[in-house]
Amino acid sequence: EAGTITSQEWLGEGIFTCQDCPMTTYRPLASGNIRVNTVDSRGCSNTAQLFIQVEELPLEVYVPNVFAPEGSGANTNFTIFAGTNVLNIEELVIFDRWGNEVFYSANQNELWYGLKDGADAQPGLYVWELNYENGVVEEKLTGEVLLIR
């Protein structure tokens, strides 16, 4: 007769929601083995192991290279479009040609409407820096956007 499981420990190269719970959620950081060690009420131990293959998805971030705040229709604000493999946009920073910060947001739903200090920013080329989490690591992208008035 088997004893009741009294303890368990989850092991693997990843993130567990709980390492000593009977059930857990696991987010792997790379391909590899996940293992659970258990001990029952009779002092017997057991180990189960499973190999998990992690496949990298192509980057699903689209950042427009031009926008016109006074335009009509599409591209009237600067918006980041992220796919399902982007868990969270950590921050977006936009700089003018002299390196001055003109926009900052840690809210992935906040848009830039082409303003600097509450007034219309000058037309021209701006540099953006985007930090996001793709489920495995934090990534950084940089690029340029042209503001047209």
Side-chain angles (χ1 to χ4, degrees):
E1 184 176 316
T4 304
I5 294 177
T6 58
S7 69
Q8 54 278 319
E9 178 184 26
W10 295 92
L11 303 165
E13 294 294 321
I15 300 167
F16 293 92
T17 56
C18 180
Q19 284 192 284
D20 60 357
C21 296
M23 293 178 49
T24 188
T25 300
Y26 177 68
R27 187 169 62 179
L29 298 176
S31 296
N33 290 312
I34 179 175
R35 188 171 75 226
V36 62
N37 298 324
T38 61
V39 177
D40 69 16
S41 57
R42 296 176 164 226
C44 297
S45 61
N46 199 359
T47 299
Q49 183 169 291
L50 175 70
F51 180 79
I52 295 179
Q53 177 71 39
V54 175
E55 295 182 25
E56 277 193 47
L57 298 174
L59 179 62
E60 293 179 353
V61 175
Y62 170 73
V63 183
N65 60 1
V66 64
F67 79 108
E70 282 87 29
S72 60
N75 293 340
T76 57
N77 55 55
F78 184 70
T79 307
I80 306 297
F81 299 94
T84 57
N85 67 341
V86 176
L87 293 184
N88 186 39
I89 294 177
E90 305 279 329
E91 66 180 2
L92 171 64
V93 187
I94 299 174
F95 303 94
D96 65 18
R97 70 180 92 189
W98 298 281
N100 299 311
E101 185 178 298
V102 297
F103 178 80
Y104 173 86
S105 178
N107 177 347
Q108 65 187 26
N109 297 315
E110 190 173 356
L111 312 174
W112 183 45
Y113 293 95
L115 301 176
K116 179 182 179 185
D117 299 325
D120 288 348
Q122 292 295 315
L125 199 57
Y126 290 81
V127 174
W128 54 264
E129 186 176 281
L130 174 67
N131 294 304
Y132 69 95
E133 183 184 355
N134 72 3
V136 179
V137 294
E138 289 187 11
E139 299 274 345
K140 178 187 274 189
L141 290 175
T142 58
E144 299 171 339
V145 61
L146 180 62
L147 170 60
I148 298 175
R149 294 215 181 264

